[in-house]
């Protein structure tokens, strides 16, 4: 394998493995978004305004606590005292990283028909959330198939298999980028489109104004890792394509060099010979004549 194809194939493999690892980490962690609530200022303002709507749910609703949010969970850092204490609103459990969390509800399956009274905007948000998860899973599946075709292509040094890996990685990149786009769509609907009130969801337009003023949102490291994984997935697809072209060019040059050592064989014309290696002389021949002459000539 020549230098061009070896280097590009090596970097393509590294990029593909790193992108898969980064996307898997981002997909499974809960640090896509950090929601910071200024509880002291919020409590003081609510007491000054005698806002019973806030004071009655101040220690029960997750909207009044600082938290991190991922694709599947919303978690409250620290001890359980930093989390809501009302089990009727949310069910808390200890996550693998020892934070208190509750699951985000995508209503899969919706056997109890809980979504029948939801608004059109809320249903759109739910469908985008479901599609987001499906796109990420489909992207991981394409990466897995790409790894198989890449291993076979490296073993056989077949440019067709490497090109197939490039196409699959490109599809995985597009699916993952689509999942990221849908995540932003869900975020936009939660913060800007949906105006109904909720004690759990991030329907910012339905919050009391004092809660909106004392809540800050920012993206966290899982979100950044996800975009880096998408970018490296695209880089892997490009490098696999370049590697396929390099391997194809190497094979064509090798075939051209081998053609120079092939000697052409041309058919040659020669004097025909008779049976047993004797030359064929024209007749007539007579019995008893050593040189083909008749007795009448002697």
């Amino acid at each position: 394998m020549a230098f061009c194809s070896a280097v590009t194939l090596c970097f393509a493999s590294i990029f593909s493995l790193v992108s898969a690892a980064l996307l898997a980490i981002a997909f499974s962690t809960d640090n896509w978004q950090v929601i910071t609530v200024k509880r002291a200022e919020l409590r003081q303002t609510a007491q000054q305004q005698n806002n019973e709507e806030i004071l009655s749910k101040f220690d029960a609703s997750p909207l009044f606590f600082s938290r991190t949010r991922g694709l599947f969970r919303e978690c409250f850092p620290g001890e359980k005292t930093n989390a809501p204490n009302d089990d009727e609103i949310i069910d808390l459990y200890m996550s693998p990283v020892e934070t208190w969390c509750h699951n985000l509800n995508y209503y899969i399956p919706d056997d109890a028909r809980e979504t029948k009274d939801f608004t059109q905007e809320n249903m759109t948000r739910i469908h985008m959330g479901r599609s987001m998860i499906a796109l990420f899973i489909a992207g991981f599946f394409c990466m897995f198939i790409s790894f198989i075709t890449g291993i076979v292509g490296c073993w056989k040094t077949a440019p067709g298999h490497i090109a197939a890996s490039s196409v699959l990685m490109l599809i995985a990149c597009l699916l993952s980028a689509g999942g990221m786009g849908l995540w932003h769509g869900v975020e936009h609907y939660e913060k800007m489109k949906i105006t109904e009130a909720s004690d759990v969801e991030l329907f910012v337009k339905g919050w009391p104004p004092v809660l909106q003023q004392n809540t800050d949102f920012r993206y966290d490291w899982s979100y950044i890792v996800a975009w880096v994984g998408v970018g490296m997935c695209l880089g892997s697809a490009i490098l696999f394509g370049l590697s396929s072209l390099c391997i194809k060019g190497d094979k064509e040059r090798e075939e051209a060099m081998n053609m120079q050592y092939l000697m052409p064989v041309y058919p040659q014309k020669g004097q025909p010979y008779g049976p047993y290696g004797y030359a064929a002389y024209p007749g007539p021949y007579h019995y008893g004549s050593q040189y083909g002459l008749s007795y009448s000539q002697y």
Side-chain angles (χ1 to χ4, degrees), residues 23-99:
L23 286 172
I25 291 172
F27 186 73
S28 58
T29 52
D30 308 311
N31 297 85
W32 285 65
Q33 197 174 34
V34 175
I35 305 167
T36 304
V37 179
K38 304 172 185 176
R39 283 179 58 84
E41 292 85 345
L42 180 60
R43 183 193 293 270
Q44 182 179 0
T45 305
Q47 289 175 348
Q48 291 175 356
Q49 297 177 356
N50 197 19
N51 193 329
E52 290 297 330
E53 180 184 1
I54 294 177
L55 295 175
S56 61
K57 301 177 182 178
F58 193 78
D59 293 324
S61 173
L63 302 181
F64 304 104
F65 290 84
S66 297
R67 56 206 183 274
T68 61
R69 192 178 179 92
L71 300 183
F72 300 99
R73 290 187 294 264
E74 193 175 64
C75 298
F76 305 89
E79 301 295 331
K80 196 174 182 180
T81 54
N82 298 326
N85 56 15
D86 191 348
D87 294 336
E88 295 182 359
I89 297 179
I90 56 173
D91 294 326
L92 293 178
Y93 63 91
M94 181 72 75
S95 71
V97 294
E98 298 185 353
T99 55

Side-chain angles (χ1 to χ4, degrees), residues 79-138:
E79 301 295 331
K80 196 174 182 180
T81 54
N82 298 326
N85 56 15
D86 191 348
D87 294 336
E88 295 182 359
I89 297 179
I90 56 173
D91 294 326
L92 293 178
Y93 63 91
M94 181 72 75
S95 71
V97 294
E98 298 185 353
T99 55
W100 292 96
C101 306
H102 71 97
N103 292 328
L104 302 181
N105 197 350
Y106 291 104
Y107 302 95
I108 302 175
D110 188 17
D111 295 334
R113 301 289 297 169
E114 298 179 64
T115 62
K116 62 181 180 178
D117 296 327
F118 285 2
T119 62
Q120 183 64 36
E121 289 80 8
N122 197 3
M123 286 305 302
T124 302
R125 177 191 69 92
I126 293 172
H127 289 313
M128 284 195 297
R130 294 170 177 173
S131 301
M132 170 189 64
I133 301 300
L135 286 180
F136 277 116
I137 294 175

Side-chain angles (χ1 to χ4, degrees), residues 150-169:
I151 292 172
V152 174
C154 291
W155 181 263
K156 296 182 177 180
T157 61
H161 289 78
I162 303 299
S165 296
S166 175
V167 173
L168 288 170
M169 288 301 293

